[in-house]
Amino acid sequence: MALLTPEDLENINRQLQEADSAVRKVTGLDIKGICKDFYGTTPCCEKVGIVPVTSGNGIIRNFSASLHAITKYFGFDSFVTDMPDVSGYYEAVKNGAQIILMADDHTYLAHNLKNGKIANNQPCTGIIYAEIASRYLKADSKDVLAVGLGKVGFPGVAHLVNKGFRVYGYDTDRAILEKTVSSLGIILFDPKKPRKFSIIFEATPSANTIPESVISDNCVISTPGIPCAISTEIQEKYGVKLITEPLGIGTASMLYSVL
Ligand code: NAI
Ligand code: PYL
Ligand code: MG
């Protein structure tokens, strides 16, 4: 998994507020409203224990503090444990956590100890960014371009197909592209035969993956991918409504999915 850097997470509250404002402009709802409507759940004083994990590449500076700020932004009572790992897990439970948030280098989970529900950040992120894109109020059709069909992108594309959207998919990995086309019945997008889209969903670890040839004026690009799929210049040139944020939207999706 591509790992976040402390720099990705700086000013997380400002990044969340900007993303929330963009989501409201695109869909008419804020992130909370989307999650509540999509999952049919509402937080009700669940206490969230955030447990730092030292395995693999170790603790990422700003990661736990960002989760603390994110959970508070979405109205949860939360705390970061003093200890990491097993001791931290024990501390979280002993201090009344109902939901555990913790991540190693491969899996970031939310586990509700009361109802047993558990969520993985990758599908939860792909699905919520796809859901936001699918609610674009000014979309000119139900055609979507999806770039990046991996652990985040594939669940998001599956969600769009289930919602009746016509997905044109692209991935630089030919095997992944062909597997997705055959398993989800999406249309293989050929970059040599571009066309414009008003809805674009991107989930890759590469920069500048969306060519100008597919960007229509005032389109929405919903992308959890880090670094960003388009440059600021392109965003301004086409008036792109960009939905992107490094951790909070995906975390909200996880939390609402385990309530
Ligand atoms: P992955 O490696 O499973 O999938 C990425 C896919 O993108 C691969 O299939 C790869 O072949 C494809 N790809 C790479 N460069 C490409 C290009 N230039 N054009 C087209 N396809 C390209 O990675 P995963 O786990 O799906 O994560 C994707 C991105 O989302 C990563 O940058 C990750 O850091 C980020 N992420 C962001 C989150 C958020 O909340 N903002 C949450 C989780 C992941
Ligand atoms: C969940 C993020 C989104 C993108 N990449 C994922 C990532 O960076 N995962 C690693 C998270 C490691 C956290 C570390 C800590 O500080 O507890 N174990
Ligand atoms: Mg996010």
Side-chain angles (χ1 to χ4, degrees):
M1 181 191 320
L3 302 184
L4 286 167
T5 68
E7 293 70 31
D8 291 328
L9 297 170
E10 275 166 10
N11 303 312
I12 193 69
N13 274 309
R14 177 179 55 74
Q15 293 195 69
L16 259 180
Q17 284 157 8
E18 287 175 0
D20 224 352
S21 168
V23 170
R24 263 195 302 274
K25 283 192 189 111
V26 164
T27 69
L29 291 174
D30 61 9
I31 298 163
K32 268 185 187 175
I34 298 273
C35 289
K36 182 171 183 287
D37 189 56
F38 178 62
Y39 289 110
T41 57
T42 306
C44 172
C45 62
E46 289 82 2
K47 200 170 186 182
V48 179
I50 299 157
V51 184
V53 174
T54 62
S55 65
N57 285 278
I59 282 172
I60 296 176
R61 182 171 56 81
N62 289 343
F63 185 79
S64 291
S66 295
L67 291 185
H68 195 198
I70 289 162
T71 46
K72 285 199 290 186
Y73 181 90
F74 289 110
F76 291 87
D77 175 18
S78 65
F79 63 97
V80 179
T81 58
D82 295 331
M83 294 296 285
D85 306 325
V86 175
S87 302
Y89 188 98
Y90 183 81
E91 182 187 336
V93 175
K94 294 300 274 183
N95 284 282
Q98 180 183 332
I99 297 174
I100 300 289
L101 282 184
M102 60 184 182
D104 63 17
D105 291 352
H106 309 283
T107 302
Y108 166 29
L109 66 82
H111 186 200
N112 186 326
L113 304 179
K114 196 169 177 184
N115 64 19
K117 290 184 182 179
I118 192 162
N120 179 304
N121 173 259
Q122 288 155 332
C124 282
T125 298
I127 288 165
I128 203 67
Y129 274 84
E131 177 65 15
I132 290 166
S134 75
R135 290 172 178 247
Y136 183 27
L137 296 169
K138 294 180 180 166
D140 63 14
S141 76
K142 295 200 81 169
D143 290 357
V144 179
L145 174 63
V147 177
L149 306 171
K151 295 184 286 297
V152 172
F154 185 94
V157 167
H159 178 59
L160 288 165
V161 169
N162 292 338
K163 282 197 83 171
F165 283 79
R166 189 170 35 251
V167 181
Y168 293 73
Y170 181 66
D171 194 296
T172 44
D173 183 315
R174 193 74 196 175
I176 287 178
L177 176 56
E178 287 173 1
K179 181 203 82 171
T180 308
V181 167
S182 59
S183 61
L184 296 181
I186 62 169
I187 302 160
L188 192 152
F189 175 74
D190 180 356
K192 292 193 281 301
K193 297 174 190 160
R195 48 152 285 191
K196 300 283 186 180
F197 290 87
S198 66
I199 303 176
I200 299 171
F201 168 59
E202 192 268 9
T204 82
S206 305
N208 304 319
T209 55
I210 309 296
E212 288 191 54
S213 56
V214 301
I215 297 174
S216 60
D217 285 335
N218 302 310
C219 72
V220 70
I221 298 182
S222 184
T223 173
I226 302 170
C228 193
I230 57 166
S231 66
T232 309
E233 293 72 27
I234 295 288
Q235 183 185 357
E236 289 167 358
K237 180 176 176 184
Y238 294 94
V240 172
K241 289 146 177 56
L242 184 63
I243 309 292
T244 192
E245 185 277 340
L247 188 58
I249 295 175
T251 297
S253 179
M254 294 163 75
L255 290 168
Y256 274 77
S257 78
V258 298
L259 293 178

